[in-house]
């Protein structure tokens, strides 16, 4: 099979556009039809990045990052674990809903193992645009000035 260098995978039909060159495939571009993100409060979030990502890293095709952020790339999706002051951001993107849920469960199980002494409730939000855009909008949004609203 030979793919043209500019061939693209339509959104939702695959995680990566693959280009086959002389018998090997290379990742061309990401397309995630299904993505979600969440935030978890934590006193030692950088520790949690390691505790969540290391046990599942052997399942990933590729792992990038350092102590503050880890990106795990799988055949049909991608997960990002990032520490911020006072918390942890989790993002998953996948080619389909089943893979997205599987990646969410992988991250959640690692989080529950790392924080077994605490009660956790995790709410995932549908991700729109770049990773963490929705959560960062919720966390860092400036409050509206209700005094400036026109009431007449």
């Amino acid at each position: 099979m030979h793919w043209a260098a500019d061939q693209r995978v339509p959104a939702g039909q695959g995680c990566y556009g693959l280009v086959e060159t002389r018998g090997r495939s290379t990742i061309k571009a990401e397309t995630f039809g299904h993505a979600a993100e969440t935030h978890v409060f934590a006193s030692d979030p950088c520790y949690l990045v390691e505790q969540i990502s290391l046990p599942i890293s052997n399942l990933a095709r590729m792992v990038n990052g350092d102590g503050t952020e880890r990106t795990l790339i799988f055949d049909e999706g991608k997960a990002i674990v990032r520490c911020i002051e006072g918390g942890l951001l989790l993002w998953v993107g996948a080619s389909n809903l089943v893979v997205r849920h599987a990646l969410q469960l992988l991250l959640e199980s690692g989080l529950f193992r790392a924080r077994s002494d605490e009660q956790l409730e995790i709410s995932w939000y549908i991700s729109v645009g770049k990773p963490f855009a929705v959560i960062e909008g919720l966390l860092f949004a400036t409050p509206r000035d209700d005094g400036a609203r026109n009431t007449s």
Side-chain angles (χ1 to χ4, degrees):
M1 172 189 317
H2 179 70
W3 294 38
D6 62 347
Q7 184 172 357
R8 301 191 192 287
V9 176
Q13 290 190 5
C15 177
Y16 304 104
L18 295 177
V19 178
E20 186 165 347
T21 55
R22 295 189 191 141
R24 68 178 196 278
S25 294
T26 58
I27 295 172
K28 182 173 184 204
E30 298 174 346
T31 58
F32 299 108
H34 302 274
E37 55 194 71
T38 190
H39 171 264
V40 177
F41 291 104
S43 58
D44 192 1
C46 290
Y47 167 78
L48 289 175
V49 168
E50 297 298 319
Q51 293 301 305
I52 292 170
S53 59
L54 285 178
I56 62 173
S57 63
N58 63 333
L59 301 172
R61 173 183 278 189
M62 184 185 325
V63 179
N64 295 318
D66 55 21
T68 60
E69 181 172 308
R70 188 70 43 94
T71 301
L72 300 112
I73 299 172
F74 301 89
D75 287 337
E76 294 293 320
K78 176 176 164 179
I80 303 171
V81 182
R82 179 186 296 169
C83 75
I84 61 170
E85 186 176 339
L88 190 66
L89 299 177
L90 306 172
W91 182 91
V92 295
S95 60
N96 62 63
L97 193 57
V98 172
V99 173
R100 189 193 86 193
H101 281 293
L103 293 176
Q104 285 175 236
L105 288 172
L106 273 175
L107 295 182
E108 288 176 5
S109 65
L111 184 59
F112 284 119
R113 275 194 312 271
R115 294 181 52 172
S116 60
D117 60 329
E118 298 180 42
Q119 290 275 27
L120 285 175
E121 187 173 316
I122 301 173
S123 296
W124 289 89
Y125 298 89
I126 300 301
S127 185
V128 178
K130 69 180 182 112
F132 306 118
V134 172
I135 287 294
E136 287 175 344
L138 292 171
L139 291 174
F140 306 117
T142 56
R144 288 193 305 181
D145 182 6
D146 288 332
R149 187 174 53 203
N150 184 359
T151 58
S152 51

